[in-house]
Amino acid sequence: MKKFSMFLAAIALLATFATACGASGTGETAATAGESSSENSATAVTGPTLTIADMAFGQPLTVAPGTQINIANNDSVEHSVTSEAKGAFDVHVDGGETKTLIAPSRPGEYPFHCVYHPNMLGTLIVR
């Protein structure tokens, strides 16, 4: 009977620990309240997305001028999406994170690279 009581006490302790480590119930995401939407938690991402995976940007992305673009970094290391056109865009995304950028207002092709991994190249097409 003493072993059974210790077993129940252990389960109660685990239940208390699990509850204490749960969500706070504030509804806030990983980003601080009031912070811009440039950083998202694991919530669903909508709109055009540039996905970084396996140390590559993938196919060129075509968007309208001024479009908000999600950058999802599926790698475990930080990457950047840095335009070859000086000042057009430069977004750094930690591994496993998502950020956004606003497409340039002028139509055209915008080659970009990762400043941390120069062999990573991509193209944003604005139409």
Side-chain angles (χ1 to χ4, degrees):
M1 186 68 168
K2 185 174 182 180
K3 287 183 182 180
F4 184 71
S5 295
M6 291 177 68
F7 175 74
L8 288 177
I11 288 179
L13 181 62
L14 286 174
T16 301
F17 179 73
T19 302
C21 291
S24 64
T26 62
E28 292 183 9
T29 63
T32 304
E35 188 174 339
S36 76
S37 64
S38 67
E39 193 169 333
N40 302 317
S41 66
T43 58
V45 176
T46 60
T49 301
L50 172 67
T51 302
I52 303 169
D54 300 322
M55 303 295 284
F57 291 115
Q59 298 299 314
L61 180 65
T62 302
V63 298
T67 299
Q68 181 174 310
I69 302 166
N70 301 296
I71 303 170
N73 182 356
N74 291 346
D75 287 341
S76 61
V77 297
E78 182 176 4
H79 292 295
S80 78
V81 178
T82 305
S83 175
E84 298 291 333
K86 190 166 181 91
F89 50 86
D90 182 25
V91 178
H92 296 246
V93 187
D94 288 332
E97 297 289 324
T98 299
K99 290 198 176 178
T100 60
L101 73 83
I102 303 299
S105 58
R106 292 184 159 214
E109 290 192 14
Y110 292 85
F112 58 86
H113 65 279
C114 174
V115 296
Y116 307 107
H117 310 98
N119 60 321
M120 291 178 61
L121 304 172
T123 303
L124 175 63
I125 301 167
V126 178
R127 291 193 181 150

